[in-house]
Amino acid sequence: MRTALAFCLICTLGIAKTAPAQQTATDSQKNGAELYGSACAACHGPDGTGAPRATVGFDLPLPDFTDCSFGSPEADADWIAVVHEGGRARAFDPMMPAFGDALSGSEIARVVDHLRTLCTEDGWPRGDLNLPRPLATEKAFPENEAVLTSTFSPSGSDAVASELLYERRVGRRGQYEIAVPFELRETEAGNWGRGLGDIALAYKHVLFDSLPSGSILSGGTEIIFPTGKEAEGLGSGATVFEPFGTFSQMLPRDGFLHLHAGFEIPAGREGAHTESFWRAAVGRTFVEQQWYRAWSPMLELLGARTLANGEPAMWDVLPQIQVSLSTRQHVLLNAGLRVPINQRQNRGNRVMVYLLWDWFDGGLFTGW
Ligand code: HEC
């Protein structure tokens, strides 16, 4: 602790040299690499892999900014918040100092741009394209996360349909996922019974991404296996192939858009029809005190149509709001109400809620 304190004195002095005496930031002419060299390299190492423990005088592991699998999924906004406010901005160790008084906004942006040059491999989509996740529309960015979604009627009666989804990135642009649906429902005897639904496996791949235009496009396929007990209404009884495409776009003023469309093709079952679906979500993110809790209200429009049986498309709207619960911003809650627009006679309103944990950014109980 004493070494850390002594070190921090040295590092503050080091920073003070680059900042005016009264600790208010003025914009220097230094480029990102020079700023990094004078303000960050003592701890993060000249090459960004982290200075040796003996030099920094503390035991805490330092991030490796040359590791693209670590750095590329992080959004600039998160790194800028950490540099401005110190480790506490994302519940990291306070050993990561706050530079908001020593460096101007444009200097912090330049130094973060320099951090970006330390990952030298191509093909890793940037975390800035990882836009907030809607309740029904699949987003294009590949994720490392677990999501528990529940759907039930606003009166709380009948059944609660839930799904546990696990997503994991593979390589630079791939992601696979496993979805396990299960239902809790009130039996005639008045007890709550439970049952497994149709388990799904999916693979998604980023086909195109561009940070300057704020766009990312992915394609994938899901296979839904008939693991649910159809007789109890827990599954379709058929294996379903679902090819899909998904596109996400950053919009001005922290707005965003997701589009997702595909087909559900049942295999090996007489009389089962292919269904097409299309989903769109628009939203905007508002951040408390510039760096902290993020609120993202969104509106989804959902359409689906069974091909070949002449029935009209079914349309729903789904207003919702997502909020970050943890300071790390890796545990998020989203709640919305799915409202059928047409064919309302046999379709009621549904409350939808998810709890999302981005496990790559930290344990479920760390980072608060
Ligand atoms: C006194 C040592 C020290 C200095 C100086 C320092 N850092 Fe850090 N920084 C750390 C430590 C330690 C962590 C890891 C904290 C943790 O994991 O809890 C960290 C974490 C970070 C992170 C978060 C990475 C992640 O996991 O997402 C960023 C970004 C960062 N530093 C950028 C900078 C920049 C840019 C500078 C210079 C302007 C700088 N740091 C200067 C010690 C330092």
Side-chain angles (χ1 to χ4, degrees):
M1 187 62 210
R2 205 176 311 143
T3 31
L5 204 71
F7 178 78
C8 244
L9 266 175
I10 301 167
C11 85
T12 333
L13 290 175
I15 296 156
K17 264 198 287 172
T18 66
Q22 75 277 22
Q23 287 282 297
T24 44
T26 52
D27 204 9
S28 71
Q29 296 303 308
K30 287 186 178 177
N31 67 28
E34 290 161 350
L35 290 163
Y36 179 86
S38 56
C40 322
C43 290
H44 288 289
D47 61 356
T49 56
R53 287 181 187 194
T55 321
V56 293
F58 55 77
D59 274 347
L60 203 69
L62 283 149
D64 178 355
F65 290 111
T66 65
D67 175 0
C68 302
S69 71
F70 151 74
S72 68
E74 302 293 338
D76 275 0
D78 289 312
W79 279 1
I80 289 172
V82 168
V83 179
H84 192 279
E85 298 282 278
R88 69 186 184 111
R90 290 293 175 271
F92 289 117
D93 198 275
M95 194 61 84
M96 167 61 208
F99 289 87
D101 289 333
L103 301 177
S104 71
S106 105
E107 286 172 323
I108 292 177
R110 269 178 267 156
V111 84
V112 167
D113 282 347
H114 173 73
L115 294 182
R116 294 297 178 190
T117 65
L118 302 173
C119 150
T120 53
E121 295 166 16
D122 291 332
W124 293 90
R126 275 276 293 278
D128 305 80
L129 299 170
N130 188 3
L131 301 162
R133 181 188 203 277
L135 282 160
T137 306
E138 170 98 22
K139 60 188 205 181
F141 196 85
E143 276 286 15
N144 284 314
E145 62 191 21
V147 190
L148 177 65
T149 309
S150 289
T151 307
F152 48 91
S153 85
S155 64
S157 60
D158 62 58
V160 181
S162 300
E163 181 194 76
L164 186 60
L165 177 73
Y166 172 79
E167 298 179 331
R168 188 183 191 100
R169 288 184 67 161
V170 270
R172 299 180 190 190
R173 303 171 83 74
Q175 174 215 294
Y176 70 81
E177 65 182 53
I178 304 168
V180 181
F182 52 96
E183 200 165 297
L184 273 178
R185 67 166 70 194
E186 211 171 346
T187 61
E188 279 173 20
N191 304 323
W192 283 85
R194 53 172 185 265
L196 183 71
D198 290 348
I199 293 178
L201 284 181
Y203 178 77
K204 177 170 92 179
H205 198 86
V206 178
L207 304 172
F208 167 80
D209 68 296
S210 160
L211 190 61
S213 71
S215 331
I216 175 164
L217 174 74
S218 298
T221 301
E222 184 164 61
I223 305 175
I224 306 160
F225 299 97
T227 51
K229 286 200 194 104
E230 193 192 358
E232 293 176 22
L234 293 169
S236 73
T239 302
V240 178
F241 292 89
E242 188 193 297
F244 64 87
T246 160
F247 173 76
S248 302
Q249 175 66 47
M250 293 162 75
L251 299 175
R253 299 178 189 212
D254 300 324
F256 54 88
L257 166 79
H258 303 282
L259 302 173
H260 171 207
F263 295 96
E264 288 184 1
I265 308 165
R269 200 186 155 105
E270 287 283 308
H273 292 297
T274 295
E275 189 176 290
S276 65
F277 65 86
W278 54 93
R279 300 167 185 162
V282 278
R284 183 175 167 188
T285 300
F286 300 86
V287 180
E288 283 180 22
Q289 299 157 49
Q290 201 174 350
W291 318 106
Y292 294 92
R293 176 159 290 143
W295 296 85
S296 301
M298 296 178 240
L299 182 68
E300 282 182 87
L301 181 66
L302 312 170
R305 180 164 182 257
T306 306
L307 303 180
N309 71 354
E311 290 206 10
M314 285 183 291
W315 290 93
D316 295 46
V317 282
L318 176 46
Q320 62 201 265
I321 185 155
Q322 188 208 58
V323 58
S324 57
L325 299 180
S326 61
T327 307
R328 185 75 48 88
Q329 313 268 345
H330 72 316
V331 181
L332 302 148
L333 181 81
N334 188 347
L337 185 68
R338 182 170 179 154
V339 181
I341 304 177
N342 63 348
Q343 294 188 298
R344 289 187 56 90
Q345 56 283 11
N346 44 15
R347 303 190 308 136
N349 296 350
R350 304 306 268 173
V351 176
M352 290 184 75
V353 181
Y354 76 54
L355 189 68
L356 183 160
W357 166 35
D358 184 340
W359 49 264
F360 192 75
D361 272 356
L364 192 53
F365 301 106
T366 56
W368 293 76

